[in-house]
Amino acid sequence: MKISLREPCQKNLLLLISTLLIVHHFPIATSVGVNYGTLGNNLPSPPQVAQFLKNRTTIDRVKIFDMNPDIIRAFAGTGILVSVTVPNGDIPALANPRAARRWVAANVAPFYPQTKLQYVLVGSEVLHWGDQNMVSNLVPAMRSIHAALVRSGLAAIKVTTAHSLGLLESSDPPSAARFRRAWATDVLAPMLLFHRQTKSPFMVNPYPFFSWSPNNTQFVLFRPNPGVRDRFTGKTYTNVYDLLLDAVHSSMEKLGFGDVQIALGEIGWPSQCDPGLSICTVENARWHNLNVANKSASGAGTPLMPGRKFETYIFALFNENLKPGSIAERNFGLFRPDLSPVYDIGIMREAQK
């Protein structure tokens, strides 16, 4: 993303004062969601995780990347909301209504309402990773699964899917953002209509970390900076979080769906990176995720969406030692496998006492 900074103004003084107040006070305990991944050979068992989250933290919802029955069952009776994910490869088959009914009967109905299932995500970042067969069947599968849930008396469980921000053609300035033409009319417009009709959120994975460059560190980390001005709206952005969400909102508005709610399926910051990347520190991860959690709870919204709350799932619950890729990929966790916190963002119940 191209970031251009304008000259400092008096608004920076207020921003600096607010920042210092947060720094010098203990993080406010708040409820937030978290992504519960399992790519590790040293992670606690699902029952241990469920009881830990219930008794020791204020995390009130989790999202998993599969349909693992052991995890779903472990959260029974905890009151914690659980969202599950259909594997991308299963999407084409589930566009068939009869197959969707069988799938709901086998994978959802046996666990509800003992486990408070909240969302069924139909795939993950399908437009980015999926082949054409998956993409073309995505919305039909969402419709079929929703219809199967309603038919089974499970209409309280909503259907959505999570998108990478690769679905945007551009994001800066946010008011001029739009979806990529290849998906806008044929996939995203029907999907947004589905979300409006079913009152389910359009879910995106906005990672400020992946917008980082050496010249925008303050901007991506919610630290004092001159700000970025949208020349079309006159709105000033002091962090990339607001800029990315408003870019998504503007893209939705251009298709006529600015009223559909937005949820954040994944957002996080690694506490360790490959050698030479000093941006990945425990303090930077703490500060980033503390601001994300506070944003989620405050209802402050964004310049284009003032007063809106965004349901948020921080990535991730644990450092996962078997994740492929860079060192950063294995160090997004809020907790170590022994359940000790990597850092504190005010979600530990002991911190409230």
Side-chain angles (χ1 to χ4, degrees), residues 29-52:
T30 185
S31 297
V32 71
V34 70
N35 287 275
Y36 176 10
T38 57
L39 294 179
N41 60 9
N42 56 357
L43 299 178
S45 68
Q48 286 178 295
V49 173
Q51 290 307 307
F52 171 75

Side-chain angles (χ1 to χ4, degrees), residues 253-288:
E253 271 198 326
K254 288 178 175 66
L255 294 180
F257 295 97
D259 58 304
V260 172
Q261 196 67 26
I262 297 171
L264 280 64
E266 296 176 32
I267 184 169
W269 196 279
S271 58
Q272 186 179 349
C273 280
D274 291 328
L277 275 179
S278 59
I279 193 67
C280 300
T281 65
V282 169
E283 175 54 25
N284 283 347
R286 184 197 72 85
W287 181 250
H288 173 274

Side-chain angles (χ1 to χ4, degrees), residues 64-96:
I64 63 175
F65 295 97
D66 52 24
M67 300 297 306
N68 187 323
D70 294 330
I71 294 178
I72 300 171
R73 196 177 294 115
F75 281 91
T78 63
I80 294 172
L81 299 170
V82 178
S83 294
V84 296
T85 304
V86 175
N88 287 5
D90 292 353
I91 291 171
L94 291 174
N96 180 287

Side-chain angles (χ1 to χ4, degrees), residues 19 22 59 61 82-83 89 96-97 99 129 140 150 161 171 179 201 228 230 252 276 284 298 315:
T19 300
I22 295 174
I59 291 169
R61 61 200 66 211
V82 178
S83 294
N96 180 287
W129 299 108
V150 171
T161 187
S171 59
F179 293 126
V228 175
D230 186 323
M252 295 164 66
N284 283 347
S298 71
F315 188 87

Side-chain angles (χ1 to χ4, degrees), residues 122 138-148 159 190-191 193-194 197:
V122 182
L138 177 56
V139 176
M142 293 171 72
R143 288 184 180 134
S144 292
I145 292 173
H146 170 72
V159 176
M191 183 184 296
L193 177 61
F194 168 83
Q197 291 170 336

Side-chain angles (χ1 to χ4, degrees), residues 169-243:
E169 197 168 84
S170 65
S171 59
D172 186 14
S175 64
R178 61 179 64 249
F179 293 126
R180 293 187 184 275
R181 290 178 176 85
W183 301 321
T185 304
D186 294 337
V187 179
L188 292 170
M191 183 184 296
L192 287 164
L193 177 61
F194 168 83
H195 286 309
R196 176 186 283 163
Q197 291 170 336
T198 61
K199 296 180 171 57
S200 55
F202 184 69
M203 189 172 282
V204 295
N205 299 339
Y207 278 94
F209 175 68
F210 296 121
S211 297
W212 174 80
S213 69
N215 67 346
N216 71 357
T217 299
Q218 306 298 90
F219 190 66
V220 298
L221 275 172
F222 297 92
R223 298 195 187 278
N225 65 87
V228 175
R229 185 175 183 274
D230 186 323
R231 65 185 181 275
F232 298 112
T233 63
K235 304 288 187 183
T236 296
Y237 291 83
T238 56
N239 60 78
V240 77
Y241 171 102
D242 285 347
L243 186 148

